[in-house]
Amino acid sequence: FTLTLIHQALFGPSAWHRHYPVAKGSRQSPIDIIPDEARRDSSLGPIFLKYDRCTSLSIANNGHSVVVEFDDSDDRSVIQGGPLDNPYRLKQFHFHWGGKGCEGSEHTVAGVGYASELHLVHWNAVKYTTYEDAATAPDGLAVLGIFLEQGDDHRWLHTITDVLYMVKFKGSATNFKGFNPKCLLPSNLHYWTYLGSLTTPPLHESVIWIVLKEPIVVSEKQLGMFRILQFSGEEEDQRMRMENNFRPPQPLKERISVVVHD
Ligand SMILES: NS(=O)(=O)c1c(F)c(F)c(-n2cc(CC3CCCCC3)nn2)c(F)c1F
Ligand SMILES: [Zn+2]
């Protein structure tokens, strides 16, 4: 327990500003979303997720989260519409979660957190040639955030939780083909949107955030499966269970409040 506290103090969110001064920037993520203060913008239309031809490749433990990577060599799976000027290509998705019974989402809604949060990361391949270039540009990435609420078993999440034992340690990866994240979407795509950043180092202020209002429901048992993952590698003697891998909400600063689309 004390090891975790020391680890947090040295490497956790409060220490990131030492190596990444942008951590105190003007458009950092996540934020606390206050629905009553969200603006309406009639020019803001619905978002469209064209994932039918998506190609998942692998699932990996990168020491921060569990990440499913996609083939982003063409526009086979994109997000478009809403605040986006053009289609953004699906690159990867990953999760953030808490400890047993604790909150674990990154965004909060009127101060209330969810058990977990799924991030589908897309990049602007129309304006930028590589994901890396996009990840450092102000309109380079579009991340779709989906809250996970604790309740009944999720019908499709087991496809992911069943293989987590194969990527228990940092640096491990395995094939993960034929998975379509469409099965992880809630019934409606009403969203809040605002300009923000990566929530982990390098914290680049390159993300157009689209956070869905409706959570999906997953069971405590399924959430517990994420906690078999380790922050540490197989060879490290200090076992560090992967949990509480979320950044707390950051100051809104001079950003206009988020915009809502119902
Ligand atoms: N939580 S989050 O905001 O959805 C989220 C993350 F947590 C990330 F870690 C990344 N991320 C992207 C890279 C590639 C490098 C980004 C910098 C330039 C070289 C490639 N590494 N991590 C990310 F893109 C993202 F959107
Ligand atoms: Zn994330």
Side-chain angles (χ1 to χ4, degrees):
F1 174 67
T2 45
L3 180 81
T4 311
L5 286 177
I6 294 165
H7 193 268
Q8 279 284 13
L10 286 176
F11 308 108
S14 53
W16 289 346
H17 70 92
R18 282 196 228 110
H19 291 277
Y20 305 96
V22 73
K24 296 179 184 293
S26 61
R27 56 173 278 192
Q28 288 291 292
S29 292
I31 59 169
D32 178 39
I33 295 167
I34 303 172
D36 295 350
E37 292 177 9
R39 258 183 331 104
R40 283 188 187 289
D41 175 343
S42 53
S43 71
L44 205 60
I47 54 168
F48 297 98
L49 300 172
K50 309 213 167 181
Y51 288 167
D52 292 343
R53 292 185 47 247
C54 77
T55 309
S56 67
L57 300 171
S58 63
I59 187 166
N61 176 335
N62 65 8
H64 307 287
S65 180
V66 57
V67 190
V68 173
E69 296 278 348
F70 287 82
D71 174 350
D72 61 346
S73 57
D74 63 23
D75 276 350
R76 64 184 66 195
S77 44
V78 296
I79 182 172
Q80 62 189 62
L84 306 174
D85 292 343
N86 52 253
Y88 283 57
R89 278 186 198 166
L90 177 62
K91 167 76 178 152
Q92 53 110 315
F93 71 75
H94 62 274
F95 297 82
H96 302 264
W97 60 90
K100 189 160 174 42
C102 303
E103 303 299 27
S105 66
E106 299 214 296
H107 292 89
T108 53
V109 180
V112 179
Y114 285 86
S116 173
E117 189 169 331
L118 161 61
H119 289 156
L120 293 125
V121 182
H122 310 74
W123 62 284
N124 187 340
V126 166
K127 275 187 77 174
Y128 307 101
T129 38
T130 65
Y131 171 63
E132 284 69 22
D133 287 350
T136 58
D139 58 350
L141 301 182
V143 181
L144 182 66
I146 302 178
F147 293 120
L148 277 65
E149 183 177 69
Q150 196 178 302
D152 294 336
D153 238 45
H154 188 281
R155 170 128 174 56
W156 303 108
L157 190 65
H158 67 82
T159 321
I160 292 172
T161 54
D162 284 354
V163 302
L164 293 179
Y165 75 95
M166 296 174 75
V167 288
K168 184 174 174 184
F169 297 107
K170 173 181 174 181
S172 52
T174 189
N175 274 337
F176 193 64
K177 303 246 189 318
F179 182 80
N180 187 325
K182 227 171 170 55
C183 66
L184 298 177
L185 300 177
S187 57
N188 83 58
L189 298 180
H190 298 163
Y191 64 87
W192 294 290
T193 183
Y194 76 97
L195 298 180
S197 73
L198 307 189
T199 65
T200 66
L203 299 171
H204 291 315
E205 298 188 324
S206 58
V207 180
I208 297 171
W209 276 96
I210 299 170
V211 180
L212 296 188
K213 296 172 79 170
E214 184 185 331
I216 59 171
V217 178
V218 304
S219 65
E220 170 49 37
K221 187 168 152 293
Q222 289 176 314
L223 283 167
M225 299 293 280
F226 284 92
R227 293 185 205 104
I228 67 168
L229 299 168
Q230 303 271 331
F231 282 122
S232 44
E234 189 158 11
E235 68 295 336
E236 290 175 60
D237 52 354
Q238 298 292 358
R239 290 287 145 97
M240 295 280 290
R241 186 181 327 141
M242 188 179 279
E243 57 186 15
N244 299 309
N245 59 348
F246 62 92
R247 188 190 195 188
Q250 301 300 307
L252 197 58
K253 298 211 166 162
E254 61 273 4
R255 271 174 290 193
I256 44 170
S257 64
V258 298
V259 193
V260 61
H261 169 79
D262 282 322

